[in-house]
Amino acid sequence: MRITDTEFPLQLSRKIDWSGLDYFGHVNNISYFRYIQTARVNYMEHIGLVESYSTEKKGPIVASCKCDFIQPLFYPGDITIRSSINFIKKTSFGIYHQILNDKGEIAADAQDVMVMFDFEKNAKSPVTAELREIIEQLENKHIGKNRE
């Protein structure tokens, strides 16, 4: 599922590290997942979930992380990872990422499914109305269960 450039409220730029290359000279698939993780944590920091974990022991856990590799990345180079929430359900939400090469071309599409979790009760917890409002303000739109 591709979305337009203007629908990504958060973007990160990174340099490709030589240590992330594989035998064939392009960026290893594990590095893509590290880029996705960096973007995921950045998003969670922006919406206050890192702070809420430290105060309330509630926060998201990764239920799923999927990546479709569109084209290889090479060293030296720069990438941009852009992220947007594409659904919010009762106890979960999805973060859609695109990884762009230094020409602005899509190198990968990725999807995280995050489940809100109460670490003291060891159980799922709901996405609160407050969290939904914070996300929708950042995204500058209403977000339903599925993107139209």
Side-chain angles (χ1 to χ4, degrees), residues 77-89:
D78 297 304
I79 61 162
T80 300
I81 314 121
R82 47 193 195 179
S83 306
S84 179
I85 300 293
N86 62 345
F87 71 83
I88 302 174
K89 295 182 180 178

Side-chain angles (χ1 to χ4, degrees), residues 11-96:
Q11 297 190 35
L12 289 172
S13 296
R14 295 286 181 260
K15 291 220 169 278
I16 293 174
D17 191 316
W18 180 81
S19 68
L21 302 184
D22 65 13
Y23 180 78
F24 303 106
H26 51 65
V27 173
N28 187 290
N29 63 332
I30 295 300
S31 295
Y32 284 76
F33 284 96
R34 287 187 182 117
Y35 302 148
I36 296 162
Q37 178 180 338
T38 299
R40 177 188 318 126
V41 171
N42 181 57
Y43 204 104
M44 290 188 302
E45 287 173 341
H46 271 82
I47 61 175
L49 288 177
V50 173
E51 184 179 330
S52 75
Y53 172 75
S54 64
T55 58
E56 302 172 27
K57 299 301 180 229
K58 292 180 182 175
I61 57 174
V62 178
S64 172
C65 183
K66 176 184 180 291
C67 184
D68 292 323
F69 305 98
I70 312 291
Q71 62 177 301
L73 294 168
F74 298 95
Y75 177 87
D78 297 304
I79 61 162
T80 300
I81 314 121
R82 47 193 195 179
S83 306
S84 179
I85 300 293
N86 62 345
F87 71 83
I88 302 174
K89 295 182 180 178
K90 183 179 177 184
T91 60
S92 65
F93 60 93
I95 310 175
Y96 173 66

